């Protein structure tokens, strides 16, 4: 991937933290700065597709934590069972 050089002004305290982190992680300061730029770019990107493309029927009320947890657990169990039914794996008796 080609890169383009740019200059930015940074707070000295931030640069000291980056220098320390680069040494600790064994990577260059530039790599940490590139990662930060990428995170900033992605956080401000306008996506062509909505984050959620499906709509769900519901009661119109906010679910409790337990209801959300149980609903997700049920969905995971159904998906796991569907996968097992489709491909029981080695050593299974059919």
């Amino acid at each position: 991937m080609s890169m383009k050089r740019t200059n930015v002004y940074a707070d000295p305290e931030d640069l000291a933290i980056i220098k320390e982190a680069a040494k600790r992680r064994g990577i260059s300061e530039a790599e940490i700065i590139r990662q930060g730029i990428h995170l900033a770019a992605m956080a401000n990107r306008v996506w062509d597709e909505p984050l959620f493309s499906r709509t769900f029927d519901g009661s119109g009320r906010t679910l409790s934590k337990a209801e959300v947890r149980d609903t997700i657990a049920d969905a995971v169990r159904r998906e796991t069972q569907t996968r097992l039914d489709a491909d029981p794996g080695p050593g299974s008796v059919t």
Side-chain angles (χ1 to χ4, degrees):
M1 167 175 63
S2 69
M3 296 193 197
K4 185 175 179 181
R5 182 183 175 105
T6 189
N7 295 323
V8 297
Y9 291 95
D11 185 89
E13 288 85 14
D14 291 338
L15 293 175
I17 293 168
I18 289 170
K19 181 183 276 300
E20 180 182 308
K23 184 177 179 183
R24 184 178 64 250
R25 293 177 58 197
I27 62 176
S28 69
E29 294 171 43
E31 181 58 27
I32 292 177
I33 293 168
R34 280 192 291 272
Q35 290 172 359
I37 290 170
H38 180 69
L39 290 172
M42 295 306 290
N44 290 285
R45 181 175 177 183
V46 176
W47 298 90
D48 294 336
E49 297 287 326
L51 181 59
F52 297 105
S53 60
R54 293 188 252 169
T55 58
F56 301 95
D57 292 330
S59 65
R61 67 177 180 78
T62 301
L63 299 176
S64 69
K65 276 183 160 181
E67 289 171 311
V68 171
R69 183 194 61 235
D70 294 344
T71 300
I72 292 170
D74 289 342
V76 169
R77 279 192 288 273
R78 283 193 307 272
E79 179 67 22
T80 301
Q81 189 59 52
T82 300
R83 289 181 182 180
L84 288 174
D85 291 345
D87 182 17
S92 62
V93 178
T94 54

